[in-house]
Amino acid sequence: MTYCVGLQLNRGLVFLSDTRTNAGVDNISTYRKLHTWEVPGERAMVLMTAGNLATTQAVVSLLDERNLAPNDRSPSLLTAPSMFQAARLIGQTLREVILEQTHGGPQAASTTFNATMIFGGQVAGSPPRLYMIYPEGNFVEAQIDTPFFQIGETKYGRPILVRAYDPEMPFEQAVKLLMVSFDSTIRANLSVGAPLDLQIYEGDSLMLGKSRRIEETDSDFAAISDGWSDALRTAFHSLPDVTL
Amino acid sequence: MTYCVGLQLNRGLVFLSDTRTNAGVDNISTYRKLHTWEVPGERAMVLMTAGNLATTQAVVSLLDERNLAPNDRSPSLLTAPSMFQAARLIGQTLREVILEQTHGGPQAASTTFNATMIFGGQVAGSPPRLYMIYPEGNFVEAQIDTPFFQIGETKYGRPILVRAYDPEMPFEQAVKLLMVSFDSTIRANLSVGAPLDLQIYEGDSLMLGKSRRIEETDSDFAAISDGWSDALRTAFHSLPDVTL
């Protein structure tokens, strides 16, 4: 499995991804699932991937190759005129890779070769954008009612996101929120695991913001992981008693 | 979907079940999924079901019929000499119903006719027991390391159970814990819904304890549902800040 969250804030975007891949519980590895591109002052883009690793690696390789040799017919991420066009390019590439691996077989979403992606960032001239891209190549954009996207093992970490998210949050708080969400998921599902990759994008900066690899031994993550159990128990005991 | 939890405490057992069934999101109904049997002073049993409604209703009907006309060859729930034997009977009945509906086709667990059950209670002479029964008819028992079972949509409500459960809890607190777990699940998955059915079994009482149908408008449930958002946000803000 995998767990990745992209969060839209008034100040910008925050991305957090795990790095565990597995083919059965007896075969796990660490792979980076968070990829970035930038032309400082002009564009900054972040892509997180969940699903078949061969598919997602092929998509990222094809995107990188196009960046080296862009042409008018198939623009690259570095030349796409908008985030929307960049998302279309990623969606098309994803769909093509899946179709190739299934030899035009079943629908993209129903094969084991499928993958889902979160794509966000900004191209000069428009505000920051955050998209969720499906195996069929289509995509949806985050909006005020749905200000974040999750891919992979989304359920364990969702309740806290739904309840504590606030668009006005500073980045420090958003990272704390994501750490809590990831901690709940990592404790529950062996196929999600540290280290985590964090990437921040500050709105209108047009360059990648702070990034960090959060190891299992990271002192911030450990403090939150330890503190959350106590905080949750305190919260639970603060609720009114039930009469039977 | 469905959400049911059976919790083993030092004082006894607590069962909570939702009542929503669905065949697609445009076809939902309310059915009781929590069933009880008792011979006061001698035995008390609780069964909660998730999965195909035709299967689970058939199983409960067959168990009820056997109670009316027990024989030595196939003992009934009301005559089984132990909870273990009662769980075997339920498991066998479940497996037979599924096999009948699949006409001996694929493995029980892989058909759409499958079902999973939580079964608990006490028969005089042994301590209270709590089992999870699988579509294949086999089952596992709760132990100190795994003191509760969930069936149906288990993920959203799991983190709080894992963190706030304490075997020493009084029943009032356990019900509060289950209400929080159900509230998180109901908010996240449309196919889990109120009213909820609560059943308590006090250890060594050998009779069913308090039971209650918790409607959506139940004042305890509403207080917990409202209070939990605030409590969770307070808990979140009490965590140490992250430095970027």
Side-chain angles (χ1 to χ4, degrees):
Chain A
M1 210 79 154
T2 283
Y3 186 38
C4 302
V5 183
L7 208 61
Q8 189 159 41
L9 304 170
N10 292 348
R11 290 161 209 235
L13 305 168
V14 185
F15 303 85
L16 191 61
S17 144
D18 85 321
T19 54
R20 183 160 293 172
T21 65
N22 72 301
V25 288
D26 54 351
N27 185 358
I28 64 170
S29 309
T30 299
Y31 278 95
R32 194 173 169 85
K33 303 171 191 173
L34 187 150
H35 308 272
T36 59
W37 295 270
E38 72 173 337
V39 180
E42 203 259 317
R43 68 184 61 212
M45 296 168 170
V46 180
L47 181 69
M48 295 187 297
T49 63
N52 186 289
L53 183 65
T55 296
T56 59
Q57 284 193 340
V59 169
V60 171
S61 296
L62 286 169
L63 293 170
D64 277 336
E65 283 187 4
R66 266 183 212 163
N67 282 338
L68 295 175
N71 64 46
D72 285 345
R73 223 180 106 256
S74 60
S76 77
L77 288 184
L78 298 184
T79 60
S82 65
M83 282 296 292
F84 176 79
Q85 293 298 342
R88 281 185 70 175
L89 172 64
I90 296 173
Q92 280 162 16
T93 307
L94 174 58
R95 187 159 180 272
E96 280 164 24
V97 168
I98 297 173
L99 282 178
E100 198 178 313
Q101 285 171 347
T102 57
H103 308 287
Q107 259 225 315
S110 61
T111 84
T112 55
F113 301 112
N114 81 7
T116 310
M117 303 187 168
I118 293 173
F119 176 59
Q122 188 172 15
V123 172
S126 312
R129 306 276 191 196
L130 183 65
Y131 297 101
M132 163 109 98
I133 302 175
Y134 297 101
E136 288 82 357
N138 58 352
F139 50 89
V140 294
E141 185 177 357
Q143 290 191 336
I144 190 117
D145 292 321
T146 304
F148 59 84
F149 289 128
Q150 303 169 282
I151 53 178
E153 174 56 277
T154 61
K155 294 186 177 182
Y156 297 110
R158 189 172 180 84
I160 184 65
L161 287 181
V162 170
R163 273 159 154 147
Y165 167 86
D166 177 351
E168 283 296 334
M169 279 180 159
F171 288 121
E172 289 79 3
Q173 245 179 56
V175 172
K176 189 164 87 169
L177 175 59
L178 292 180
M179 282 186 178
V180 171
S181 178
F182 271 69
D183 181 53
S184 293
T185 309
I186 287 171
R187 279 175 187 243
N189 189 329
L190 282 179
S191 71
V192 177
L196 310 179
D197 285 318
L198 171 70
Q199 179 67 55
I200 287 174
Y201 174 73
E202 200 169 325
D204 298 330
S205 68
L206 295 170
M207 54 189 283
L208 293 169
K210 287 190 175 157
S211 70
R212 178 164 150 194
R213 172 152 278 204
I214 300 164
E215 302 285 345
E216 218 156 343
T217 53
D218 183 278
S219 61
D220 280 333
F221 190 62
I224 281 173
S225 181
D226 294 343
W228 187 236
S229 285
D230 291 337
L232 213 52
R233 271 192 289 269
T234 307
F236 173 67
H237 289 295
S238 78
L239 289 178
D241 273 340
V242 174
T243 47
L244 285 181
Chain B
M1 209 81 153
T2 283
Y3 185 39
C4 301
V5 183
L7 208 62
Q8 189 158 42
L9 303 170
N10 291 348
R11 290 162 208 236
L13 305 168
V14 185
F15 303 85
L16 191 61
S17 144
D18 84 321
T19 54
R20 184 161 292 173
T21 65
N22 73 301
V25 287
D26 54 351
N27 185 357
I28 65 170
S29 310
T30 299
Y31 279 95
R32 194 171 168 85
K33 303 171 190 173
L34 187 150
H35 309 271
T36 59
W37 296 269
E38 71 174 337
V39 180
E42 203 259 317
R43 68 184 61 211
M45 296 169 168
V46 181
L47 181 69
M48 295 187 296
T49 63
N52 187 288
L53 184 64
T55 297
T56 59
Q57 285 193 340
V59 169
V60 172
S61 295
L62 286 170
L63 293 170
D64 278 335
E65 281 188 5
R66 267 185 212 163
N67 281 340
L68 294 176
N71 65 46
D72 285 345
R73 223 180 106 257
S74 62
S76 76
L77 288 184
L78 298 184
T79 61
S82 64
M83 283 296 292
F84 176 78
Q85 292 298 341
R88 281 185 70 176
L89 173 62
I90 296 173
Q92 281 163 14
T93 309
L94 174 58
R95 187 159 179 272
E96 280 164 24
V97 169
I98 296 173
L99 282 178
E100 198 177 314
Q101 285 171 346
T102 56
H103 306 286
Q107 260 225 314
S110 62
T111 83
T112 54
F113 301 112
N114 81 7
T116 310
M117 303 185 168
I118 294 173
F119 176 59
Q122 188 171 15
V123 171
S126 313
R129 305 277 192 195
L130 184 64
Y131 297 101
M132 163 110 97
I133 302 175
Y134 297 101
E136 288 82 357
N138 58 352
F139 49 89
V140 295
E141 186 178 354
Q143 290 192 336
I144 191 115
D145 292 321
T146 304
F148 60 84
F149 289 128
Q150 303 168 282
I151 53 177
E153 175 56 278
T154 60
K155 293 186 177 181
Y156 297 110
R158 190 173 179 84
I160 184 66
L161 288 181
V162 170
R163 273 161 155 147
Y165 167 85
D166 177 351
E168 284 297 334
M169 278 181 159
F171 288 120
E172 288 79 3
Q173 244 180 56
V175 172
K176 189 164 87 171
L177 175 60
L178 292 180
M179 281 186 177
V180 172
S181 177
F182 271 69
D183 181 53
S184 293
T185 309
I186 288 172
R187 279 175 187 242
N189 189 328
L190 282 180
S191 71
V192 178
L196 309 179
D197 285 318
L198 171 71
Q199 179 66 56
I200 288 175
Y201 174 73
E202 201 169 325
D204 297 331
S205 68
L206 295 170
M207 54 188 283
L208 293 169
K210 287 191 175 156
S211 71
R212 178 166 150 192
R213 173 152 279 203
I214 300 163
E215 302 286 345
E216 218 156 345
T217 52
D218 183 278
S219 61
D220 280 334
F221 190 62
I224 281 172
S225 181
D226 294 345
W228 186 237
S229 286
D230 291 337
L232 213 52
R233 270 191 291 269
T234 307
F236 173 66
H237 289 294
S238 78
L239 289 179
D241 273 342
V242 174
T243 47
L244 285 181

